[in-house]
């Protein structure tokens, strides 16, 4: 369920970044900020468990950042 939510968020951010590149920065930063908070909370567990709990949040944050930048990059290459 969480994976579907992250995928949906990435799709929405990519479309928003394509249509409104400047206005997509704030939602992208907000999503990355909330995922970073989850990563920090998960990393407080000791040892291997901390790395295991924080990894999904780190990779989701990276995916959100990449989808936003990909939408802006695609917009930049359009002829209009």
């Amino acid at each position: 369920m969480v994976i579907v939510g992250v995928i949906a968020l990435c799709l929405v951010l990519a479309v928003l970044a394509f249509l409104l590149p400047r206005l997509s920065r704030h939602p992208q930063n907000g999503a990355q900020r909330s995922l970073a908070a989850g990563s920090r909370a998960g990393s407080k567990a000791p040892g291997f468990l901390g790395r295991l709990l924080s990894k999904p949040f780190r990779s989701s944050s990276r995916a959100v950042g990449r989808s936003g930048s990909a939408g802006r990059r695609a917009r930049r290459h359009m002829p209009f």
Side-chain angles (χ1 to χ4, degrees):
M1 188 69 168
V2 174
I3 295 171
V4 173
V6 170
I7 291 172
L9 179 63
C10 287
L11 288 174
V12 167
L13 277 174
V15 170
L16 184 65
F18 182 77
L19 296 176
L20 303 167
R22 285 187 180 174
L23 295 178
S24 68
R25 296 268 185 192
H26 190 69
Q28 177 185 346
N29 290 340
Q32 284 185 311
R33 195 175 307 124
S34 65
L35 289 168
S39 177
R40 282 193 306 272
S43 69
K44 292 196 186 293
F48 175 73
L49 188 60
R51 287 188 297 276
L52 187 69
L53 291 176
S54 70
K55 183 175 179 176
F57 293 103
R58 281 196 317 262
S59 60
S60 297
S61 176
R62 192 170 62 229
V64 165
R66 284 184 180 176
S67 68
S69 67
R72 284 186 289 276
R73 192 169 49 245
R75 171 66 181 255
R76 209 172 22 236
H77 290 292
M78 293 301 288
F80 49 87

